[in-house]
Amino acid sequence: MEPFTTHTGVGVPLRRSNVDTDQIIPAVYLKRVSRTGFEDGLFAAWRADETFVLNQEPFRAGSVLVAGPDFGTGSSREHAVWALADYGFRVVVSARFADIFRGNAGKQGLLTAECEQSDVEQLWKILENEPGTAVTVDLTAKTVSAKDFTARFRIDDYTRWRLLEGLDDIALTLRHADAIAEFEKSRPAWKPVTTPLGAA
Amino acid sequence: MARTLAEKVWDAHVVRRGEGDEPDLLYIDLHLVHEVTSPQAFDGLRLAGRPVRRPDLTIATEDHNVPTVDIDKPIADPVSRTQVDTLRRNCEEFGVRLHPMGDAEQGIVHVIGPQLGLTQPGMTVVCGDSHTSTHGAFGAMAFGIGTSEVEHVLATQTLPLRPFKTMAITVDGELAPGVTAKDVILAVIAKIGTGGGQGYVLEYRGSAIEALSMEARMTICNMSIEAGARAGMVAPDETTFAYLSGRPHAPKGEEWNAALENWRQLRTDEGAEFDAEVHIDATSLTPFVTWGTNPGQGLPLSERVPDPEAIADENERVAAEKALAYMDLTPGTPLRDITVDTVFLGSCTNGRIEDLRAAAEVLRGRQVAKDVRMLVVPGSMKVRAQAESEGLHKVFIAAGAEWRQAGCSMCLGMNPDQLRPGERSASTSNRNFEGRQGKGGRTHLVSPLVAAATAVRGTLSTPDDLF
């Protein structure tokens, strides 16, 4: 994973709450077995409407999405994060994120910056008044700014550290392989295994 | 110290406590795998040269893509076929047990785990699917994960996680006849909202929950994610033990007794504190239906389509306006007057034998309305076989419904079972998101009883409306 410290890019105002992962990428795009190339599925249904924000010129090149509350609800599909990242987004700003989406984003280096809804609305105004305005997100300082407006955002310290360092979770966990093996010895015998019945 | 059920299960699985901000490392007892969210995870293992640490705690099935007709033929859609073939190759290469299309044990991943007796009280269960919360009905800690986490569990059989907060959802009193587990959970979501459960594991308790069958409890836990929760749980009791007894992978003999002793401890202690509490009076509940495009936008079926003008919160008002525009509904219309063209009975929410029995009882001797298409999709091949042994399929077929093979089907339309643009369904599934059941399709979430009655009348209805 690429380390993340600061990012500056075109901010995209998405005035919708409850943006579920079926909207971020519909199920039909989930049949692929690759890990890249999901940008065509991003907001596929909404992008069919030419008035949709990502079809407007300065926003097309956006990399900081500023959305309404409860972003990423619903399905656990990590494809939603891949679609956003493949399109070019590095940051999503929202007042509330669904837990699984937030977790998935953290694994892929997509920053979920949780702001107050009033700050989101301030950002929306700025981005709508001057389309193409750059938004700067500073993970070290935990701030998001546009023009002369700056807001603080929340992110848990562990995810922040992993993003700043660009660390891979599996490698971190495997440092504790001995503890895992030790734990396994203490599991009760009655716990089930999936080995087919009758097999050795 | 007094602990909640969720805390007990969590504590029993901590491999290593996190220091400071670090998450705990949690051991995973059972990992369920399907074709959609696993290919990139297996690829990751291959790239890193890592094996599956515990294939004996892992089981796979094909459910999301599989067609529900002509399953003896190759899958027609080449992209779906490739995804299913990829799962088969990965399971072969990494030694994971797989129940493929056509197999007697194949079915929706959340139906087959409990059916096989693999889901047991006090376990940690994960799957790359948000409806993994279903398994919490057994008093397991069960939650959905993303593909990176699927890879993590395959490689380490653990996950780094911070403890979830706890919320008690107490449903006391007796449900009226015709009011089902689906109505309870839709009412819960309407009450706390699609984000109300964020960060929480919900423990459903109270006399109404205790009176429910295991399958009904699964319906409730299944939709915990629609309230934004990480998981939902019900404390195991005699109903749970009776369901498990004799299942293929349930403990036997002395091990059953040892397990039972352990399982009986899995209750929230007297005096334990939840981080949040919600109370619902079961006697106040009636059949529920959604009118909008998220599962929190629901109302009793006796009500009317709401007027966004009357909603004070600006975000909710805008969301309601957008939802009504998408759903093509006019404020003030009685929900009972809404006409559907499709009825879908199935999914990991309501595709079990009790759901099919309930719907068949309504349809017996009746006909699906002209111009309505009804799909009946059992949650698993075992459910299908059970239904056929009871003659339920004959009731569905005689009524004019389509009797299909097992899979996720129209819940999310990854296979050919989809709504066409503008079509409207009454669906026993779990999500009414825009386009969820097919591009441009409109979904009303309902119970199996309401689904069956709606199929007969052609408008959203309860069985009482048929007399």
Side-chain angles (χ1 to χ4, degrees):
Chain A
M1 190 165 82
E2 290 278 303
F4 189 119
T5 47
T6 67
H7 172 76
T8 299
V10 170
V12 178
L14 183 63
R15 276 193 186 263
R16 293 195 75 129
S17 58
N18 272 290
V19 176
D20 60 74
T21 53
D22 272 77
Q23 304 316 314
I24 299 173
I25 186 164
V28 64
Y29 293 91
L30 272 48
K31 299 180 183 184
R32 300 172 182 170
V33 297
S34 61
R35 195 154 192 157
T36 54
F38 287 93
E39 63 274 10
D40 57 339
L42 181 69
F43 298 126
W46 294 344
R47 269 161 82 193
D49 171 2
E50 61 183 33
T51 66
F52 182 62
V53 63
L54 279 185
N55 292 331
Q56 313 295 314
E57 199 34 67
F59 298 123
R60 221 181 275 268
S63 63
V64 179
L65 187 65
V66 184
D70 295 314
F71 189 87
T73 53
S75 157
S76 62
R77 58 188 69 165
E78 196 162 307
H79 310 68
V81 172
W82 302 339
L84 285 161
D86 289 349
Y87 183 90
F89 283 105
R90 297 295 315 277
V91 184
V92 183
V93 179
S94 172
R96 272 205 308 267
F97 290 95
D99 292 319
I100 301 177
F101 177 85
R102 191 209 317 262
N104 290 341
K107 312 282 182 207
Q108 295 298 319
L110 178 74
L111 175 60
T112 51
E114 193 180 286
C115 285
E116 295 300 320
Q117 178 61 20
S118 55
D119 293 332
V120 168
E121 280 166 26
Q122 193 63 38
L123 287 167
W124 280 343
K125 275 187 201 145
I126 294 168
L127 299 176
E128 284 165 353
N129 286 341
E130 264 187 68
T133 301
V135 175
T136 295
V137 181
D138 183 337
L139 182 55
T140 313
K142 294 197 273 190
T143 56
V144 51
S145 40
K147 297 283 180 190
D148 52 3
F149 173 76
T150 296
R152 302 269 303 164
F153 67 81
R154 292 177 294 275
I155 185 166
D156 74 87
D157 287 338
Y158 183 75
T159 303
R160 177 168 165 266
W161 168 70
R162 282 183 45 260
L163 286 170
L164 287 169
E165 303 285 330
L167 292 172
D168 161 18
D169 260 351
I170 296 179
L172 283 176
T173 294
L174 287 176
R175 291 180 188 171
H176 306 298
D178 291 349
I180 298 170
E182 197 57 38
F183 182 91
E184 284 176 328
K185 285 187 204 157
S186 68
R187 290 184 81 232
W190 46 262
K191 289 234 178 181
V193 291
T194 58
T195 315
L197 298 168
Chain B
M1 207 180 91
R3 291 181 300 166
T4 62
L5 165 63
E7 289 162 338
K8 287 182 184 180
V9 178
W10 187 281
D11 290 347
H13 291 84
V14 174
V15 171
R16 185 179 169 275
R17 288 266 174 220
E19 295 163 16
D21 298 322
E22 237 188 320
D24 292 343
L25 194 59
L26 204 69
Y27 198 78
I28 302 303
D29 285 320
L30 178 64
H31 187 188
L32 306 159
V33 173
H34 62 84
E35 76 275 17
V36 180
T37 55
S38 65
Q40 297 87 353
F42 282 111
D43 256 356
L45 291 185
R46 251 189 304 271
L47 279 172
R50 290 172 178 143
V52 173
R53 182 182 176 90
R54 295 295 301 265
D56 60 332
L57 302 183
T58 312
I59 186 168
T61 190
E62 299 164 1
D63 55 6
H64 284 63
N65 276 271
V66 298
T68 54
V69 289
D70 297 333
I71 61 163
D72 49 338
K73 301 194 181 83
I75 300 177
D77 176 351
V79 193
S80 286
R81 192 166 67 235
T82 300
Q83 193 164 61
V84 166
D85 287 345
T86 303
L87 179 69
R88 291 178 188 181
R89 274 202 311 279
N90 284 331
C91 286
E92 172 86 38
E93 179 182 342
F94 288 93
V96 172
R97 171 177 168 189
L98 169 69
H99 292 293
M101 197 169 77
D103 184 274
E105 296 284 0
Q106 179 268 346
I108 305 176
V109 68
H110 309 308
V111 176
I112 71 166
Q115 189 174 276
L116 286 164
L118 282 168
T119 305
Q120 297 175 16
M123 289 173 62
T124 46
V125 181
V126 299
C127 175
D129 188 286
S130 59
H131 292 112
T132 309
S133 56
T134 311
H135 307 262
F138 291 80
M141 174 78 77
F143 50 93
I145 57 179
T147 297
S148 292
E149 290 172 311
V150 170
E151 183 182 340
H152 196 267
V153 176
L154 289 172
T156 70
Q157 204 58 34
T158 64
L159 277 176
L161 287 165
R162 228 168 265 97
F164 306 147
K165 292 182 287 180
T166 59
M167 184 187 294
I169 308 249
T170 307
V171 190
D172 271 324
E174 205 174 324
L175 293 171
V179 183
T180 68
K182 184 63 162 286
D183 305 304
V184 173
I185 189 62
L186 285 174
V188 167
I189 300 162
K191 185 177 172 103
I192 72 174
T194 55
Q198 266 168 34
Y200 289 96
V201 50
L202 313 181
E203 183 185 330
Y204 303 98
R205 54 214 312 254
S207 58
I209 303 295
E210 288 163 19
L212 294 175
S213 70
M214 281 315 295
E215 296 195 359
R217 293 178 192 181
M218 284 187 244
T219 298
I220 291 189
C221 289
N222 170 276
M223 288 188 71
S224 303
I225 179 68
E226 313 314 336
R230 287 313 305 259
M233 300 175 93
V234 176
D237 58 11
E238 295 307 319
T239 303
T240 320
F241 309 145
Y243 177 97
L244 275 165
S245 175
R247 300 251 159 208
H249 286 270
K252 309 270 186 303
E254 269 316 295
E255 291 197 340
W256 171 262
N257 294 333
L260 211 52
E261 196 179 323
N262 176 286
W263 295 345
R264 290 194 195 281
Q265 314 301 315
L266 295 171
R267 313 192 67 79
T268 292
D269 293 327
E270 201 68 43
E273 283 188 23
F274 291 91
D275 297 307
E277 297 217 35
V278 171
H279 289 270
I280 288 182
D281 174 11
T283 62
S284 70
L285 297 177
T286 57
F288 227 77
V289 55
T290 61
W291 51 266
T293 54
N294 74 55
Q297 292 174 323
L299 280 171
L301 182 49
S302 54
E303 305 256 347
R304 290 163 186 269
V305 174
D307 184 355
E309 291 299 314
I311 299 174
D313 180 86
E314 194 196 328
N315 267 307
E316 280 186 33
R317 184 171 62 244
V318 173
E321 281 166 0
K322 287 185 170 156
L324 292 186
Y326 181 85
M327 294 295 289
D328 191 26
L329 291 175
T330 312
T333 308
L335 293 169
R336 270 197 170 78
D337 289 354
I338 295 172
T339 307
V340 305
D341 7 67
T342 302
V343 172
F344 173 61
L345 174 63
S347 86
C348 58
T349 310
N350 281 127
R352 298 182 178 79
I353 190 67
E354 290 177 10
D355 302 313
L356 301 194
R357 283 179 191 145
E361 210 40 57
V362 175
L363 287 175
R364 199 180 293 276
R366 295 196 170 99
Q367 284 296 311
V368 172
K370 196 166 77 64
D371 302 332
V372 173
R373 135 178 100 137
M374 181 175 187
L375 261 63
V376 183
V377 182
S380 71
M381 294 299 272
K382 274 275 193 289
V383 169
R384 184 180 150 93
Q386 176 68 30
E388 293 196 340
S389 77
E390 297 178 18
L392 303 183
H393 63 309
K394 291 184 182 157
V395 177
F396 291 123
I397 293 166
E402 297 174 35
W403 177 241
R404 298 292 192 93
Q405 305 287 340
C408 299
S409 179
M410 195 182 269
C411 175
L412 83 168
M414 277 192 81
N415 75 349
D417 305 340
Q418 297 181 12
L419 294 181
R420 285 182 288 270
E423 280 188 334
R424 185 183 298 279
S425 76
S427 177
T428 66
S429 55
N430 40 57
R431 289 188 174 137
N432 51 342
F433 297 153
E434 289 181 21
R436 167 82 175 180
Q437 297 191 287
K439 199 173 177 184
R442 302 176 175 127
T443 304
H444 297 277
L445 300 177
V446 298
S447 73
L449 288 176
V450 170
T454 300
V456 173
R457 289 223 318 163
T459 58
L460 294 177
S461 306
T462 69
D464 286 348
D465 297 325
L466 301 178
F467 294 102

